[in-house]
Amino acid sequence: MATATFSSTSPKYLHFHSTSFWRRRFSISCAAVTPTFLASSDRGIYNFAAGPATLPESVLLKAQSELYNYRGSGMSIMEMSHRGKEFDAVIKKAESDLRSLLSISDDFAVLFLQGGATTQFSAVPLNLCMPEDSADYIVTGSWSVRALKEAQKFCKPNVIWSGKSEKYTRICSFDEIPQTLDAKYLHICGNETVQGVEFKDYPNPMNKSSILVADMSSNFCSKPVDISKFGVIYAGAQKNVGPSGVTIVIIRRDLLGHAQPITPVMLDYKAHADADSLYNTPPCFAIYICSLVFECLLHQGGLEAMAKKNEKKASVLYDAIDASGEFYVSHVEKSVRSLMNVPFTLQKSELEKKFIEEAAKEGMVQLKGHLSVGGVRASIYNAMPLAGVEKLVAFMKDFQARHP
Ligand code: PMP
C-alpha cells in the first residue's frame, strides 16, 4: 500500500494514498485508461506551449500510477538500473513502437540521446563530414539558422537558400536552388517552431552520395514520413512525443563510423548505436514517458490518424484567422503553413498583450509568440485536442467582437 503524502487540492490526487485504487483504475494498458487522447481539458486549461508542451492526460495518469512502484518492482523507474530487465523492456518497447509508427526499417538505427536537438546541430556535421567537406543548408527560420551556425565550426556549410529577406514566410521551390556538387548532406528544418513554416514535401540531394538530414523536433510523429528519403532525422522529444531530456536520432546504418577524430564520444552516433543507446546512463524517465506516448499514438491508429486530426485542428484555426478580415493575420504562405505551430499577429498590435492575458484567464495558456518575433503563437501538437482549438477560436471571435 502506498502511503505517500501528496498534497494537492484536487480530489483526484488525494486517491494516490491507495495503490489498489490506482491499480484498479490506471495500471492497465494506455488504451484502457482512456480510450481517447485526453489532454489538458481535465486539468482546467489548454496548454498551447511550443515546448515543453502538453502531454496526453492518459500518459500522465499512467506515469503517475506507476511512479512509486513500477509494475510491482518496488522501485520507481527513476531508481532502477538502466541495465536491469525492467528498463531494458521499456527502451526496447519504445524503439519497437517508434519503428512501427514510422515504419522504420532495420537499415536505420534508432537512438535515444541527450543534449537536445541543439547538440545534434554539431553532431550532424561531426559525424557526416570532415572539416574541409561542404554541406548544404536550406535556411527557413530561427532553428535552421542555429543549425547552420554550429555547422560552421565543423565543416564548410553553404546556404543554398534563405528565407531571411522575406522574414521566413515561405519555402523555396526545390528546383529553384543550386545545390553544391560535392555536398556531403543537405540539411533542412522540417518545421520551424518559431516562424510556423513547415515542409510539405522534401528536396532530394542532387548528388547521389549526398543525404537528406532533417531537424523534425517540432513535427516529429505528427504525420507519416517516408524515412527512406532521409539519411538522418533528429528530434527533441518535448513537443510531440515526451518530456525534454531525450532526443531521438534515426540514422541510416551505413553512415555510422565516419565521425571526425575529434568527435566527443557523446556525439558519436556509432558509440550510441553499438551500445543500443546505453553507452552511458540514458535519460531513463524521459524515455519511459516517450514509450507511453508511442503506445498511445499506436492505440489511436498511428500517424495516418494523427495527421488527419492535426490537419483538422490546423484548418479550424487557420480558417478562423483567414475569416477575421485581417483582425488576426497569419504571415506564412498558405502552402507551407505549419500544422503544429500557428503564429499570428493582431492588426491592432497594441491589443496582443490583452489578448494573451484574457485567453490565459479563460484557461488557454502559453500563447505568447517567441521572444524574437512577438505576436501570438498557438502550438497545437498531437496532444492538443480539437476541443482546445475550438475553444481558442471561440475566444478569438468573441475578442474581435469586443474590439471592433
Ligand atoms: N529545433 C527545433 C525545430 C526546435 O523547435 C527546437 C526547440 N524549440 C530546437 C531545435 C532546439 O531544441 P533543444 O532546446 O531541445 O536543444
PDB file of all heavy atoms in Angstrom, residues 289-302:
ATOM      1  N   ILE A 289       8.537   7.914 -20.577  1.00  0.00           N
ATOM      2  CA  ILE A 289       7.353   8.702 -20.977  1.00  0.00           C
ATOM      3  C   ILE A 289       7.152   8.615 -22.497  1.00  0.00           C
ATOM      4  O   ILE A 289       6.030   8.457 -22.985  1.00  0.00           O
ATOM      5  CB  ILE A 289       7.472  10.181 -20.523  1.00  0.00           C
ATOM      6  CG1 ILE A 289       7.558  10.278 -19.000  1.00  0.00           C
ATOM      7  CG2 ILE A 289       6.295  11.009 -21.047  1.00  0.00           C
ATOM      8  CD1 ILE A 289       6.280   9.982 -18.235  1.00  0.00           C
ATOM      9  N   CYS A 290       8.240   8.691 -23.238  1.00  0.00           N
ATOM     10  CA  CYS A 290       8.108   8.547 -24.705  1.00  0.00           C
ATOM     11  C   CYS A 290       7.461   7.203 -25.039  1.00  0.00           C
ATOM     12  O   CYS A 290       6.610   7.124 -25.930  1.00  0.00           O
ATOM     13  CB  CYS A 290       9.469   8.612 -25.396  1.00  0.00           C
ATOM     14  SG  CYS A 290      10.198  10.242 -25.414  1.00  0.00           S
ATOM     15  N   SER A 291       7.857   6.161 -24.320  1.00  0.00           N
ATOM     16  CA  SER A 291       7.298   4.844 -24.659  1.00  0.00           C
ATOM     17  C   SER A 291       5.784   4.834 -24.422  1.00  0.00           C
ATOM     18  O   SER A 291       5.037   4.236 -25.197  1.00  0.00           O
ATOM     19  CB  SER A 291       8.003   3.721 -23.891  1.00  0.00           C
ATOM     20  OG  SER A 291       7.462   3.585 -22.601  1.00  0.00           O
ATOM     21  N   LEU A 292       5.331   5.548 -23.374  1.00  0.00           N
ATOM     22  CA  LEU A 292       3.877   5.615 -23.145  1.00  0.00           C
ATOM     23  C   LEU A 292       3.195   6.423 -24.256  1.00  0.00           C
ATOM     24  O   LEU A 292       2.081   6.093 -24.696  1.00  0.00           O
ATOM     25  CB  LEU A 292       3.579   6.260 -21.786  1.00  0.00           C
ATOM     26  CG  LEU A 292       4.080   5.531 -20.529  1.00  0.00           C
ATOM     27  CD1 LEU A 292       3.640   6.279 -19.271  1.00  0.00           C
ATOM     28  CD2 LEU A 292       3.578   4.094 -20.469  1.00  0.00           C
ATOM     29  N   VAL A 293       3.862   7.489 -24.694  1.00  0.00           N
ATOM     30  CA  VAL A 293       3.264   8.292 -25.771  1.00  0.00           C
ATOM     31  C   VAL A 293       3.190   7.471 -27.066  1.00  0.00           C
ATOM     32  O   VAL A 293       2.156   7.468 -27.753  1.00  0.00           O
ATOM     33  CB  VAL A 293       4.055   9.610 -26.006  1.00  0.00           C
ATOM     34  CG1 VAL A 293       3.525  10.348 -27.236  1.00  0.00           C
ATOM     35  CG2 VAL A 293       3.983  10.513 -24.771  1.00  0.00           C
ATOM     36  N   PHE A 294       4.256   6.753 -27.379  1.00  0.00           N
ATOM     37  CA  PHE A 294       4.233   5.942 -28.613  1.00  0.00           C
ATOM     38  C   PHE A 294       3.081   4.930 -28.566  1.00  0.00           C
ATOM     39  O   PHE A 294       2.380   4.709 -29.553  1.00  0.00           O
ATOM     40  CB  PHE A 294       5.558   5.195 -28.813  1.00  0.00           C
ATOM     41  CG  PHE A 294       6.749   6.097 -29.018  1.00  0.00           C
ATOM     42  CD1 PHE A 294       8.019   5.726 -28.600  1.00  0.00           C
ATOM     43  CD2 PHE A 294       6.610   7.337 -29.632  1.00  0.00           C
ATOM     44  CE1 PHE A 294       9.117   6.549 -28.791  1.00  0.00           C
ATOM     45  CE2 PHE A 294       7.701   8.176 -29.826  1.00  0.00           C
ATOM     46  CZ  PHE A 294       8.956   7.780 -29.401  1.00  0.00           C
ATOM     47  N   GLU A 295       2.909   4.331 -27.387  1.00  0.00           N
ATOM     48  CA  GLU A 295       1.834   3.349 -27.230  1.00  0.00           C
ATOM     49  C   GLU A 295       0.476   4.005 -27.498  1.00  0.00           C
ATOM     50  O   GLU A 295      -0.377   3.465 -28.197  1.00  0.00           O
ATOM     51  CB  GLU A 295       1.888   2.818 -25.797  1.00  0.00           C
ATOM     52  CG  GLU A 295       1.107   1.577 -25.546  1.00  0.00           C
ATOM     53  CD  GLU A 295       1.321   1.085 -24.108  1.00  0.00           C
ATOM     54  OE1 GLU A 295       0.987   1.826 -23.162  1.00  0.00           O
ATOM     55  OE2 GLU A 295       1.822  -0.030 -23.948  1.00  0.00           O
ATOM     56  N   CYS A 296       0.314   5.203 -26.954  1.00  0.00           N
ATOM     57  CA  CYS A 296      -0.955   5.933 -27.166  1.00  0.00           C
ATOM     58  C   CYS A 296      -1.171   6.276 -28.632  1.00  0.00           C
ATOM     59  O   CYS A 296      -2.299   6.211 -29.135  1.00  0.00           O
ATOM     60  CB  CYS A 296      -0.957   7.224 -26.362  1.00  0.00           C
ATOM     61  SG  CYS A 296      -1.686   6.989 -24.765  1.00  0.00           S
ATOM     62  N   LEU A 297      -0.093   6.679 -29.304  1.00  0.00           N
ATOM     63  CA  LEU A 297      -0.237   7.026 -30.724  1.00  0.00           C
ATOM     64  C   LEU A 297      -0.660   5.795 -31.525  1.00  0.00           C
ATOM     65  O   LEU A 297      -1.517   5.875 -32.410  1.00  0.00           O
ATOM     66  CB  LEU A 297       1.077   7.603 -31.277  1.00  0.00           C
ATOM     67  CG  LEU A 297       1.514   8.947 -30.684  1.00  0.00           C
ATOM     68  CD1 LEU A 297       2.886   9.367 -31.233  1.00  0.00           C
ATOM     69  CD2 LEU A 297       0.492  10.041 -30.992  1.00  0.00           C
ATOM     70  N   LEU A 298      -0.083   4.650 -31.176  1.00  0.00           N
ATOM     71  CA  LEU A 298      -0.473   3.424 -31.883  1.00  0.00           C
ATOM     72  C   LEU A 298      -1.934   3.088 -31.606  1.00  0.00           C
ATOM     73  O   LEU A 298      -2.685   2.736 -32.515  1.00  0.00           O
ATOM     74  CB  LEU A 298       0.427   2.253 -31.461  1.00  0.00           C
ATOM     75  CG  LEU A 298       1.838   2.273 -32.047  1.00  0.00           C
ATOM     76  CD1 LEU A 298       2.729   1.231 -31.364  1.00  0.00           C
ATOM     77  CD2 LEU A 298       1.819   2.019 -33.565  1.00  0.00           C
ATOM     78  N   HIS A 299      -2.336   3.249 -30.352  1.00  0.00           N
ATOM     79  CA  HIS A 299      -3.732   2.957 -29.997  1.00  0.00           C
ATOM     80  C   HIS A 299      -4.712   3.861 -30.734  1.00  0.00           C
ATOM     81  O   HIS A 299      -5.864   3.512 -30.928  1.00  0.00           O
ATOM     82  CB  HIS A 299      -3.950   3.116 -28.492  1.00  0.00           C
ATOM     83  CG  HIS A 299      -3.537   1.913 -27.706  1.00  0.00           C
ATOM     84  ND1 HIS A 299      -4.050   0.658 -27.936  1.00  0.00           N
ATOM     85  CD2 HIS A 299      -2.656   1.769 -26.701  1.00  0.00           C
ATOM     86  CE1 HIS A 299      -3.484  -0.207 -27.107  1.00  0.00           C
ATOM     87  NE2 HIS A 299      -2.635   0.446 -26.344  1.00  0.00           N
ATOM     88  N   GLN A 300      -4.253   5.024 -31.070  1.00  0.00           N
ATOM     89  CA  GLN A 300      -5.159   5.948 -31.764  1.00  0.00           C
ATOM     90  C   GLN A 300      -5.206   5.731 -33.259  1.00  0.00           C
ATOM     91  O   GLN A 300      -5.825   6.511 -33.973  1.00  0.00           O
ATOM     92  CB  GLN A 300      -4.695   7.380 -31.527  1.00  0.00           C
ATOM     93  CG  GLN A 300      -4.987   7.855 -30.155  1.00  0.00           C
ATOM     94  CD  GLN A 300      -4.613   9.303 -30.084  1.00  0.00           C
ATOM     95  OE1 GLN A 300      -5.414  10.164 -30.341  1.00  0.00           O
ATOM     96  NE2 GLN A 300      -3.368   9.550 -29.792  1.00  0.00           N
ATOM     97  N   GLY A 301      -4.450   4.748 -33.734  1.00  0.00           N
ATOM     98  CA  GLY A 301      -4.491   4.452 -35.165  1.00  0.00           C
ATOM     99  C   GLY A 301      -3.214   4.863 -35.874  1.00  0.00           C
ATOM    100  O   GLY A 301      -3.154   4.867 -37.108  1.00  0.00           O
ATOM    101  N   GLY A 302      -2.195   5.241 -35.127  1.00  0.00           N
ATOM    102  CA  GLY A 302      -0.906   5.556 -35.744  1.00  0.00           C
ATOM    103  C   GLY A 302      -0.865   6.942 -36.372  1.00  0.00           C
ATOM    104  O   GLY A 302      -1.730   7.786 -36.128  1.00  0.00           O
TER     105      GLY A 302
END
